[in-house]
Amino acid sequence: MKINFEGKNKKLIVIVVMLLIIGQSFVSSISLKLLLNTTAIQIIFAGIFISIFVSFSMTTLTDTLRMTKESFIKEINYTEDIYKVHSLAAKVKRDGLLSIQSEINIEEDTFLRDAMILLNDYKKPEVIRDILEKDIEAREANLLKAYHVFKMISHVAPSLGLIGTLVGLIGLLANMHQPYEIMNNMAAALVSTLYGSLIANFIAVPIMVRIKEYVGKNILRYAMITEGILLIAENDSARNVFDKMNVMLKEEDRLAYPGKRADERNYQLHEFKI
């Protein structure tokens, strides 16, 4: 799996620089003591945790943490999938469908393994398509659970900021005769709104967009594998399997065909690793 570390590092540097600029603007405008208001922190973060723990199961929250991590560090490798399905097509053409049983046993990716099992069971292409499309729908629903968690955070964080503001104003009115309490409650009121907006717009929404993009990449991968497996089931050529999967990529990411049509039956492109 090839990861563009240079591009990632440049992006990280830009993000860090922008965060430092924003942080400097906060520090120069607001004292650190006022910015780190414990009342505002308690209202916002306790409220967010209560909301998501009540709304989602622990399994969903655990999957959300895993998926968020994967969206930052895991690259979807379409190239390996195209090569693997292409060599599977060449093997079926050369040795028949029953020859892929050994590859099924060692395949680690669950979607590709399930698709190979369906192919090996001699099911009709339309039956394979129907089953795999339903599998993709179920996988997409599971992948989008993390998106819905952050979507909820983006909705509740500003509302909790408003609640913190109201609590601060109530405290201010209740302590009009104590100047110190007036200042403390005013800070809590304003900082709560700030926290809610920052969490929603600088954390929840960007992660939502990133997860949505990551889900889209996975769905494209599943669709490519489905297309390749269906072509094999229809006894299409290995070259057509490669080309029709390849054309689903962006133009700049498409691969050059590595073999020649003349020696297709004797060429095995990708070795399945044990």
Side-chain angles (χ1 to χ4, degrees):
M1 182 174 64
K2 185 179 179 181
I3 300 176
N4 185 5
F5 286 107
E6 184 179 354
K8 282 177 174 278
N9 289 337
K10 289 180 179 178
K11 187 176 181 181
L12 182 61
I13 291 171
V14 172
I15 292 173
V16 170
V17 170
M18 293 299 104
L19 286 174
L20 290 174
I21 292 173
I22 294 173
Q24 192 274 334
S25 66
F26 282 153
V27 173
S28 61
S29 303
I30 311 171
S31 70
L32 191 60
K33 183 178 179 180
L34 291 177
L35 191 62
L36 299 176
N37 187 280
T38 55
T39 302
I41 292 173
Q42 289 168 356
I43 292 173
I44 296 295
F45 287 96
I48 289 174
F49 278 107
I50 290 171
S51 298
I52 61 175
F53 274 103
V54 169
S55 302
F56 301 99
S57 67
M58 285 303 300
T59 301
T60 298
L61 297 178
T62 302
D63 290 343
T64 297
L65 293 175
R66 177 183 54 79
M67 264 208 62
T68 303
K69 179 182 177 181
E70 286 181 358
S71 70
F72 281 94
I73 65 174
K74 185 177 180 181
E75 294 287 338
I76 305 299
N77 195 338
Y78 302 115
T79 301
E80 183 178 355
D81 292 323
I82 293 175
Y83 286 166
K84 190 177 288 188
V85 176
H86 169 262
S87 51
L88 188 71
K91 186 176 181 65
V92 169
K93 275 287 187 183
R94 184 176 62 248
D95 302 323
L97 275 172
L98 292 177
S99 64
I100 67 173
Q101 186 61 52
S102 58
E103 280 78 17
I104 293 174
N105 295 334
I106 63 176
E107 179 55 50
E108 295 181 355
D109 181 77
T110 57
F111 184 82
L112 179 55
R113 184 174 66 246
D114 291 345
M116 291 165 65
I117 290 172
L118 291 174
L119 181 64
N120 193 53
D121 286 344
Y122 294 98
K123 291 187 180 293
K124 295 180 180 179
E126 56 269 23
V127 177
I128 296 176
R129 178 184 295 277
D130 185 55
I131 294 173
L132 290 181
E133 285 180 351
K134 286 181 170 56
D135 190 4
I136 292 173
E137 289 176 5
R139 289 172 182 269
E140 184 177 15
N142 286 327
L143 290 171
L144 284 173
K145 288 179 180 179
Y147 172 85
H148 293 311
V149 171
F150 283 101
K151 184 176 181 180
M152 181 176 186
I153 292 174
S154 72
H155 288 165
V156 302
S159 300
L160 291 168
L162 179 59
I163 291 172
T165 299
L166 294 174
V167 170
L169 291 176
I170 292 170
L172 184 152
L173 295 174
N175 296 279
M176 291 294 290
H177 58 286
Q178 299 181 30
Y180 175 79
E181 290 298 328
I182 291 176
M183 296 299 297
N184 189 49
N185 284 288
M186 179 61 75
L190 298 178
V191 172
S192 294
T193 302
L194 175 65
Y195 283 169
S197 298
L198 288 176
I199 291 172
N201 296 294
F202 282 84
I203 298 177
V205 172
I207 294 179
M208 277 171 55
V209 174
R210 188 174 190 89
I211 289 175
K212 193 70 176 288
E213 182 182 31
Y214 180 69
V215 171
K217 289 179 179 179
N218 276 282
I219 297 304
L220 174 59
R221 176 176 175 270
Y222 297 149
M224 289 173 58
I225 292 173
T226 298
E227 185 66 26
I229 293 296
L230 289 172
L231 290 171
I232 296 174
E234 293 167 359
N235 200 31
D236 210 334
S237 69
R239 177 61 188 260
N240 279 347
V241 171
F242 181 92
D243 287 342
K244 289 184 180 180
M245 292 180 70
N246 194 33
V247 79
M248 297 175 75
L249 297 176
K250 292 188 295 184
E251 187 173 356
E252 60 269 23
D253 295 332
R254 290 175 187 170
L255 310 171
Y257 188 71
K260 295 181 179 179
R261 191 180 297 272
D263 60 1
E264 184 71 69
R265 292 177 61 85
N266 299 317
Y267 181 72
Q268 188 165 358
L269 173 65
H270 180 85
E271 289 293 332
F272 287 85
K273 297 179 180 180
I274 301 179

